[in-house]
């Protein structure tokens, strides 16, 4: 029987993506995104005692914003290339960590996304299972 | 064609290193293809990589060392046939076992001249990770050709030495390099290794 690495690691993961449409300042959006990532990490630590994994958020709008947290003691790693005004955009939000189940992560992250949802209305994309990977690679 | 996997635990800096290596090698004239794996339904790393100007194929919703092993082999063959790169860089999910990926690449029979496994270890978290998940993290380091001790910019010399001790305890054979993928320190040594191999 093939060993399942996710089970071997006792790891959970959850990811979601959403489109948003609404005028918001870059400052507001960055603050909300930071709050989402930090609160997610804090909730994981409350549940498990430690974050053994990562929380990542990527926004593509008028530019891009990348947020990553692997240890609350290290703080949040941010690459902010967003520009004002922020109108339409896409958000990808995921976390993977040991010792917290998929369902628990989903609950935590869905709740923490409210920080962003409160300032821009998020339209979550329905996930389609695409396992037939007929890829077209255009190269660099 | 060389295949390089950049393995390492969740949050060890794989994507950051991959972007640095990919952009440098591409700028130096190498044809680089990237496969990135995400265990969750939605991946962020693919978007991050693409936003840096690189192109990647993202395999999500599983781990390429087990549940998505077929997808990995299929993707390798397609990339070889359609693009024929000098170098394929694979970023597995942070809970993958690198030795299993080596076996899968071998049995995919895409004609690679060499496969290199670089395993990253996060110097900032190494001690706590070993305390919490020693067996798991050890398996990730054990199969590495090169172990890159990452985030050296965030720790002191003692911590770097402690991390090196941990690595040597698990894998005496691997070459050890000390890097900061974030600011590029030490990354040139890995670029050189891959350029000379490709």
């Amino acid at each position: 029987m093939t060993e399942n690495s996710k089970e071997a690691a006792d790891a959970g993961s959850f990811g979601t993506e959403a489109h948003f449409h609404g005028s918001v300042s870059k400052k507001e959006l960055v603050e909300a995104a930071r709050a989402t990532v930090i609160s997610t990490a804090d909730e994981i630590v409350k549940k498990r005692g430690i974050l053994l994994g990562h929380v990542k958020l990527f926004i593509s709008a008028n530019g891009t914003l990348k947020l990553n947290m692997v240890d609350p003691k290290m703080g949040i790693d941010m690459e902010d290339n967003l520009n004002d005004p922020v109108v339409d955009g896409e958000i990808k939000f995921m976390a993977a960590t040991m010792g917290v189940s998929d369902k628990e992560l989903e609950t935590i992250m869905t709740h923490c996304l409210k920080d962003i949802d409160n300032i821009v209305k998020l339209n979550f994309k329905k996930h389609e299972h695409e396992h037939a990977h007929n890829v077209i690679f255009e190269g660099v | 064609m060389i295949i390089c996997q950049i393995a390492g635990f969740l949050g060890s800096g794989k994507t950051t290193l991959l972007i640095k290596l990919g952009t440098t090698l591409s700028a130096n004239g190498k044809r680089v293809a990237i496969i990135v794996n995400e265990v969750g339904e939605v991946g962020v790393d693919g978007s991050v990589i693409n936003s840096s100007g690189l192109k990647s194929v993202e395999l999500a919703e599983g781990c390429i060392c087990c549940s998505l092993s077929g997808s990995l082999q299929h993707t390798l063959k397609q990339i070889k046939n359609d693009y024929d790169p000098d170098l394929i860089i694979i970023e597995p999910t942070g809970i993958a076992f690198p030795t299993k990926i080596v076996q899968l690449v071998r049995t995919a029979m895409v004609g690679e001249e060499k496969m290199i496994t670089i395993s990253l270890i996060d110097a900032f978290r190494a001690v706590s990770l070993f305390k919490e998940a020693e067996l798991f993290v050890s398996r990730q380091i054990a199969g590495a050709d090169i172990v890159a001790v990452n985030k050296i910019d965030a720790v002191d010399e003692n911590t770097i030495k402690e991390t090196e001790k941990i690595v040597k305890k698990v894998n005496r054979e691997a070459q050890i390099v000390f890097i900061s993928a974030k600011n590029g320190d030490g990354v040139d040594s890995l670029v050189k290794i891959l350029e000379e191999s490709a």
Side-chain angles (χ1 to χ4, degrees), chain B residues 30-123:
Chain B
K30 297 293 182 192
R31 289 163 66 83
V32 179
I34 295 166
I35 301 172
V36 59
N37 176 215
E38 178 54 67
V39 68
E41 288 178 354
V42 170
V44 166
D45 290 345
S47 300
V48 171
I49 291 166
N50 293 348
S51 75
S52 71
L54 296 168
K55 292 268 176 27
S56 66
V57 172
E58 190 168 64
L59 301 177
E61 212 172 351
C63 180
I64 54 173
C65 85
C66 46
S67 54
L68 290 185
S69 56
S71 294
L72 171 63
Q73 292 183 318
H74 177 78
T75 303
L76 283 167
K77 286 172 191 163
Q78 263 202 283
I79 288 175
K80 167 69 179 167
N81 290 338
D82 295 349
Y83 186 54
D84 195 22
D86 299 307
L87 170 68
I88 298 178
I89 303 178
I90 300 171
E91 182 193 338
T93 175
I95 52 169
F97 295 127
T99 48
K100 292 176 86 177
I101 292 169
V102 171
Q103 285 166 13
L104 287 165
V105 169
R106 204 165 281 150
T107 55
M109 290 170 58
V110 290
E112 76 278 6
E113 282 142 47
K114 197 172 183 181
M115 172 143 192
I116 299 171
T117 295
I118 301 172
S119 280
L120 261 66
I121 181 160
D122 175 354

Side-chain angles (χ1 to χ4, degrees), chain A residues 22-69:
Chain A
S23 188
V24 66
S25 73
K26 166 192 150 146
K27 184 169 180 284
E28 268 186 289
L29 185 56
V30 169
E31 276 172 15
R34 288 178 62 98
T36 296
V37 170
I38 290 167
S39 58
T40 300
D42 286 346
E43 289 300 314
I44 291 169
V45 171
K46 268 187 209 163
K47 199 163 253 317
R48 174 63 174 81
I50 186 170
L51 171 58
L52 289 174
H54 56 205
V55 181
K56 295 187 180 187
L57 190 145
F58 184 80
I59 292 177
S60 174
N62 187 0
T64 59
L65 174 70
K66 182 193 130 185
L67 298 171
N68 185 28
M69 185 174 257

Side-chain angles (χ1 to χ4, degrees), chain B residues 142-191:
Chain B
D145 301 301
I146 301 167
V147 176
V149 175
N150 191 24
K151 304 189 190 180
I152 59 170
D153 57 298
V155 297
D156 59 26
E157 203 54 46
N158 279 340
T159 306
I160 294 172
K161 287 195 166 86
E162 278 303 310
T163 308
E164 188 182 9
K165 266 190 219 165
I166 289 170
V167 172
K168 283 183 173 169
K169 195 171 138 190
V170 175
N171 187 340
R172 289 173 193 271
E173 310 294 325
Q175 180 182 351
I176 301 176
V177 298
F178 301 90
I179 69 169
S180 165
K182 191 173 177 180
N183 63 26
D185 289 347
V187 174
D188 279 349
S189 61
L190 294 173
V191 170

